Amino acid sequence: MEIKFHGVRGSIPIPSKKFLEYGGNTTCIEINSEDFQLIIDAGSGFKNVQIRSEVPTFLLFSHFHHDHLQGLSFNSALFSSRHQLHVASGLVGLEGLKSALSIAFTPPLFPLDLINDNLAFNFMDFSTLQAAAIDFFSVEAFSLCHPGGASGYKVSIGNSSVVCGLDHEYGLDDSLDANFHRLSQGSDLVIWDGMFTDAEIEDKRGWGHSSIEQAVDFSSCSDAKLIFITHHSPHREDKELDHIANNLLSDRVKLARENEKLEIL
Ligand SMILES: [Zn+2]
Ligand SMILES: [Zn+2]
């Protein structure tokens, strides 16, 4: 499968030239294989996803904070009758999913009723999506430590797997961290919430994000092949990310960049 990062920024898009080397769009991750397309979260990067009409397309929401859904209405493929997206979340059931998205995408916060009037969306419970996807991939949801909750995902095809842990505060809930570790063992890629540095996180406990340094700690006790840090702070300029990449990270722990593609066999 191929992984592509369409958005690597947390909180708010940052379309400024000091941020463009790593990218300014918020969270959206695309997983492609020959016979399916899976998208995790629809932050502003979702606008740039090429929705494939020849294979089933699935969209999973980790949770419903602005930076994970604000691009949902701006992918032009949604307004074409050729496309249909199977949409679910491990965090809530069908009614909770529609209710959460309706807050953002019906009047008065949005001009149209995108949730009830857009035929491209096929909303479902997470278990229904799991069943619909079973011929293509398996996906497991797990709980993360984040205000209001968030759902991580482990996506597997055969012996290959990707674990997405967005958004998550590492070090606050031992049982959730232990489960994250367990699911990550043997995986090909872990996607890590690196919103803060260790220095910044001191007075941001309970905000629901981890640090960049914690990804390095995690890698030292995990046999995951690669850890990609994303959800970069909207305050962190390219030069600071370059400095971090050169001084803190390793071949196994990297900073994700917008439009970056990874092939996992
Ligand atoms: Zn977020
Ligand atoms: Zn969040």
Side-chain angles (χ1 to χ4, degrees):
M1 52 185 151
E2 180 191 83
I3 320 296
K4 183 170 181 183
F5 291 87
H6 289 276
V8 298
R9 203 56 68 168
S11 301
I12 191 169
I14 187 79
S16 161
K17 65 181 182 183
K18 291 181 178 174
F19 299 81
L20 293 183
E21 189 188 321
Y22 285 85
N25 279 308
T26 60
T27 299
C28 179
I29 298 157
E30 180 185 10
I31 301 175
N32 265 307
S33 182
E34 230 171 67
D35 53 4
F36 76 89
Q37 180 178 35
L38 168 65
I39 299 147
I40 299 178
D41 285 342
S44 66
F46 182 69
K47 176 181 178 298
N48 298 324
V49 176
Q50 296 289 319
I51 305 289
R52 295 165 64 193
S53 55
E54 78 283 11
V55 296
T57 298
F58 303 87
L59 171 61
L60 286 169
F61 283 97
S62 62
H63 64 307
F64 302 99
H65 289 159
H66 287 279
D67 50 329
H68 297 257
L69 54 76
Q70 61 204 168
L72 183 65
S73 52
F74 298 102
N75 189 306
S76 54
L78 296 182
F79 300 95
S80 153
S81 58
R82 289 182 300 119
H83 297 97
Q84 194 173 50
L85 272 71
H86 306 298
V87 187
S89 173
L91 185 63
V92 293
L94 172 60
E95 290 311 313
L97 172 69
K98 290 177 73 174
S99 161
L101 292 174
S102 288
I103 292 169
F105 294 108
T106 59
L109 292 188
F110 193 73
L112 311 173
D113 184 340
L114 192 74
I115 304 312
N116 293 301
D117 294 346
N118 191 312
L119 299 178
F121 296 130
N122 181 18
F123 295 109
M124 56 186 67
D125 284 323
F126 180 67
S127 59
T128 308
L129 186 143
Q130 282 179 305
I134 198 71
D135 288 340
F136 310 105
F137 61 92
S138 68
V139 57
E140 183 176 349
F142 59 100
S143 296
L144 296 170
C145 183
H146 197 60
S151 180
Y153 297 104
K154 180 171 186 173
V155 179
S156 307
I157 305 177
N159 292 325
S160 302
S161 62
V162 177
V163 176
C164 181
L166 301 176
D167 293 352
H168 179 59
E169 181 164 353
Y170 189 73
L172 204 62
D173 184 317
D174 289 345
S175 69
L176 295 184
D177 286 341
N179 196 39
F180 192 174
H181 263 289
R182 182 184 63 78
L183 289 165
S184 301
Q185 289 300 336
S187 66
D188 296 277
L189 174 67
V190 171
I191 298 171
W192 182 269
D193 173 348
M195 177 82 159
F196 299 126
T197 62
D198 273 358
E200 292 164 351
I201 212 168
E202 279 305 309
D203 58 355
K204 295 183 173 60
R205 301 278 179 210
W207 286 31
H209 300 288
S210 307
S211 76
I212 290 165
E213 292 90 337
Q214 284 174 320
V216 179
D217 296 343
F218 185 90
S219 75
S220 68
C221 51
S222 169
D223 65 0
K225 288 183 188 144
L226 272 176
I227 296 174
F228 263 54
I229 300 168
T230 183
H231 208 284
H232 307 315
S233 164
H235 305 290
R236 207 169 318 288
E237 297 179 3
D238 290 333
K239 62 183 179 188
E240 187 183 354
L241 287 169
D242 278 341
H243 180 79
I244 288 167
N246 292 332
N247 293 283
L248 274 179
L249 306 183
S250 68
D251 286 348
R252 282 180 63 222
V253 185
K254 297 175 182 292
L255 298 174
R257 293 170 188 248
E258 190 170 315
N259 293 322
E260 184 160 17
K261 285 183 190 173
L262 282 172
E263 190 69 42
I264 288 172
L265 300 173

